[in-house]
Amino acid sequence: MALWHRVRAWVRLRTSLGLYYHPEYAPECLSRTCRVPGLPVNRVEQAVGRLASEGVLRAGSLRSPRLASFDDLGRFHTREYLESTTDRETLGHIFAMDPQEIEVDPLIYAQRRAVGGTIAAARAAARGGLRVAFNLGGGFHHAEPDRGGGFCVFNDVAVAISHLRGLGYQAPILIVDLDYHQGNGNVVGFSSDPSVLVYSLDGSIWVHEHPASSESYLLPPGIGDGAYLERLAATLPRALERFRPGLVFYLAGNDVLAGDALGGFALTPEGVLERDLFVVRLVRAAGARLVITLAGGYRKDAWNSSASLLRFLLTGEAEVRPILDGDLRAEFGRIAQSLEPRELRRDDQVAFTLSEAELFEDLFERLPEPRVLGFYSASGVEYALERYGILEKLRQRGFSDLLVSIDASDPERQFARIHGSKGSQQGLLLMELVMRRRSLQPEGEVAPPFELLSVEWLLLQDPTANFSLERPRAPGQRFPGLGLAAEIQELLVQACRRLGLDGLVQRPSHYHHAAVEREYRFWDPEAEGRMEALRQVLAPLGVAEASDLLQSGAVRLGDGSAVAWEAADLILAVSPRLGAHWESAGYRGVRDRTRQALLDAGLHVASVALERTAV
C-alpha cells in the first residue's frame, strides 16, 4: 500500500495536482508577534517534512512562485495603501508587533511571495492544467482594498481573482472561507461584484456588511465536529449548486481546532480532515477547479491537519496520523527542502561573482576539487552537517574546533571525516564515513539496475568516553559510540533522495550492526531469512550480548554446529521501486523458507553460554 501511495502521489503531481511554496513564506521575525507569543512560523516545513519522510514528497515536488508585482497588487489594493505598506507603523498594526522590531523587507517579501503563489495556483487551475492547486501559504483574507490587518498585508485570493479577470477569465468564482475568522477583505472587496460569491462559516465577525455577494453563517463558541459538519453539509452544497462556479478558492483554516490561540471552536483533527474532504469532494463532483490556501492555524500541531489534507490530495489516504516525538526523518525531510543545491556544491575557494548560468553550466566543469558522490563539495558537506544539527550535537557533547574534511579523489572509496578537540585532547577522530555509488541488478530481471549509495565503512566514536554496564563494548569497538548513528543515516537518506538513488547499502561485519537496523533488508532473501531466525532466537538478549555470543560460537544448530555471522548486502529502500523488491512473492518465499529451515534445524543458544551471561 505504501508503494501504491507513492506511485499515486508521483502521478498526481505530474498530471492534476500542483503544490506551491517558497521558504520566504515564513519570516522568522513573525514569532515575536504579541498576538500569539511564539507563533509557529514553520508549520509548512513540518507538514512537508512529514510527507517527505513518508516518501510521497521529494525535493523538487513543490513549485516555487515568483513575487507578486506591484501591478498585480494594484489590481485590488489602492495605490495609497500600497505605498503605506513599507511603513513600520502600518506593519506593526497588521502584525501586532512593536514598530521598532519590524523587519520590513522579510515581511513584505513573504506576503508578496505568498500572493505570487496564489496567483500561480489560480492561473494553473483556471487554464485547466490542474484540478487542484494548493498554495502552502496565503489565505490573507483580512486585507481590504485600502487597509490590512490580522497578519494580512495583501489579499492574495482577491489579487489572484483580479489577475484572472484581467486575463479574461469570466466564469463565476466561489470563495469558501472556513477559517475561524470572517474574511472581511473579500466580503468588502467583492461586495459589488455579482460574479464572486464569498461563503463562510464564522466564529468571529470583522465587518457587519451583508452584501448579496456574501453568504455567511455565524457559529457559536465551542462548536464541535458534529454540529459544525452538519451546518457545512446543509449550506455549502446549496450555495455551490445555485452559483455554479467554474473555479473555487478554499481557505482551509486550521484555527478551528480546539485550543487554538485565536480561535473559539472545538474541532478535532479528525473533524478538520472530514471538513476538508467534504469540500474537496463536493467541488470535484461539481466539475469546478479548486485552489486551496492555508489561512490561519495557531495551535502548535495545526501543521498536522495541513499534512493530513496534503496526504489525501497526494495519495487518496484519508487518515490523521499521530505526531511522533523525535520524528527524525520528518525533521530531516523538512531541512532537506530548504537546502539550496548551490550551497551543497559550492567551493569556498571560488569567488561567487559569476552569473547563475555560469555557475551551473560552466563552473563545475572547471573546478579542480572532486566532489563526493559527484555532487557534494567539502564546504557543502560541512554545510549539510551544520544544517542537520550534527555538528551542534557534537559541540553539546563537549567537542570544539570541529574540522570537516573529504577525500573524493577515488570514486571507489570516498571519505568524509570529522575531527574535534576536547580539553587537552586535540584532533580526535569522531567520524569517518567511506562511501561510493553502487549498482545492483535483480537476478533474472531485465529492469534497470538499482542505483545505491554504498556505506563501505562508518565509524562514530567518542575517544574520551569509557564503556560501562549501560554501554558495553560490542565486538569490533575501540571506543563507545557518539549516539549519532540515526542522524547520520537520515542525512544519507536525504542524500539519496536528492541524487535520485534508490537506497542505502552496507555490509555489516557483526550481528549488532544489522540488528539495530530495523528498516533495512538484506538483498539476498536467504540472508534475510537467516537474520529473521537469529532475531527470533536472540530476542531475549541485549544486542551487544547477542552479537558477542554469535561471534564466540555459542549460537548453534541442533547437531551442535556453530552458526557464524555472514556479511551480506543490507539495504534501506528509499525509492518505491526498491521497496517493492522486498514485497515480491519470490523474495518473500525464499526468505520464509530459509528462516523456517533454520528454526526446524534447532537454532539455539548453548545453555552453557546462557548460564555464563546470567552470572
Side-chain angles (χ1 to χ4, degrees), residues 21 23 44-46 48-53 57-62 328-344 375-376 383-389 489-499:
Y21 180 69
V44 174
E45 288 88 345
Q46 288 176 287
V48 168
R50 179 66 180 269
L51 295 168
S53 73
L57 269 183
R58 293 187 177 187
S61 297
L62 305 182
L328 193 61
R329 188 158 300 167
E331 175 67 11
F332 274 40
R334 178 187 70 79
I335 295 170
Q337 290 283 343
S338 68
L339 297 182
E340 293 288 344
R342 65 176 179 271
E343 293 291 340
L344 300 172
F375 184 87
Y376 296 93
Y383 177 68
L385 289 167
E386 195 72 74
R387 287 293 304 276
Y388 285 113
Q489 173 183 288
E490 294 310 318
L491 182 150
L492 295 175
V493 166
Q494 299 305 326
C496 286
R497 287 180 172 156
R498 185 175 296 277
L499 301 178

Side-chain angles (χ1 to χ4, degrees), residues 11 51 79 107 145 247 302 311 363 374 411 433 444 475 504 538 566 590:
V11 171
L51 295 168
R79 179 181 296 276
L107 291 172
L247 185 65
R311 187 181 297 109
L363 180 56
L433 172 63
L504 295 174
L538 297 172
E566 299 178 31
V590 174

Side-chain angles (χ1 to χ4, degrees), residues 303-548:
W303 65 267
N304 201 32
S305 288
S306 298
S308 297
L309 173 56
L310 272 169
R311 187 181 297 109
F312 171 75
L313 294 172
L314 287 162
T315 71
E317 179 186 10
E319 177 187 7
V320 176
R321 295 190 178 179
I323 298 173
L324 303 177
D325 292 335
D327 194 343
L328 193 61
R329 188 158 300 167
E331 175 67 11
F332 274 40
R334 178 187 70 79
I335 295 170
Q337 290 283 343
S338 68
L339 297 182
E340 293 288 344
R342 65 176 179 271
E343 293 291 340
L344 300 172
R345 303 187 66 172
R346 72 183 173 92
D347 182 352
D348 282 339
Q349 298 177 351
V350 177
F352 276 84
T353 58
L354 304 177
S355 70
E356 185 173 336
E358 289 174 316
L359 278 172
F360 285 94
E361 294 176 12
D362 303 322
L363 180 56
F364 298 136
E365 294 295 323
R366 301 196 302 269
L367 288 176
E369 177 193 17
R371 282 175 160 66
V372 172
L373 303 174
F375 184 87
Y376 296 93
S377 65
S379 59
V381 171
E382 183 172 4
Y383 177 68
L385 289 167
E386 195 72 74
R387 287 293 304 276
Y388 285 113
I390 292 170
L391 297 185
E392 179 59 29
K393 289 184 178 181
L394 288 174
R395 296 186 189 103
Q396 292 170 3
R397 286 160 171 74
F399 294 101
S400 60
D401 302 324
L402 298 175
L403 174 65
V404 178
S405 60
I406 68 167
D407 180 353
S409 58
D410 182 357
E412 296 301 311
R413 287 179 61 82
Q414 303 197 335
F415 291 80
R417 299 182 179 94
I418 303 175
H419 288 80
S421 302
K422 181 183 283 190
S424 61
Q425 302 183 67
Q426 307 292 310
L428 301 169
L429 178 62
L430 307 178
M431 184 197 83
E432 184 174 61
L433 172 63
V434 184
M435 60 197 135
R436 66 184 177 99
R437 289 178 182 250
R438 269 185 69 192
S439 298
L440 281 176
Q441 177 70 53
E443 187 175 350
E445 293 188 18
V446 295
F450 293 109
E451 301 298 331
L452 305 168
L453 192 167
S454 177
V455 178
E456 305 290 292
W457 166 256
L458 175 60
L459 174 69
L460 294 166
Q461 62 178 15
D462 183 350
T464 68
N466 297 312
F467 293 106
S468 64
L469 291 175
E470 292 75 22
R471 302 175 68 189
R473 185 194 302 268
Q477 275 191 307
R478 183 182 176 193
F479 299 111
L482 285 165
L484 294 175
E487 286 82 351
I488 295 298
Q489 173 183 288
E490 294 310 318
L491 182 150
L492 295 175
V493 166
Q494 299 305 326
C496 286
R497 287 180 172 156
R498 185 175 296 277
L499 301 178
L501 302 178
D502 293 295
L504 295 174
V505 57
Q506 56 173 297
R507 289 180 67 87
S509 55
H510 296 89
Y511 170 81
H512 63 276
H513 291 149
V516 298
E517 305 290 9
R518 291 287 183 170
E519 289 187 273
Y520 283 71
R521 299 291 182 270
F522 282 97
W523 175 255
D524 181 351
E526 290 188 2
E528 182 66 18
R530 285 195 299 271
M531 186 65 193
E532 289 191 357
L534 286 170
R535 283 188 194 276
Q536 184 171 333
V537 171
L538 297 172
L541 305 172
V543 171
E545 180 185 0
S547 187
D548 185 58

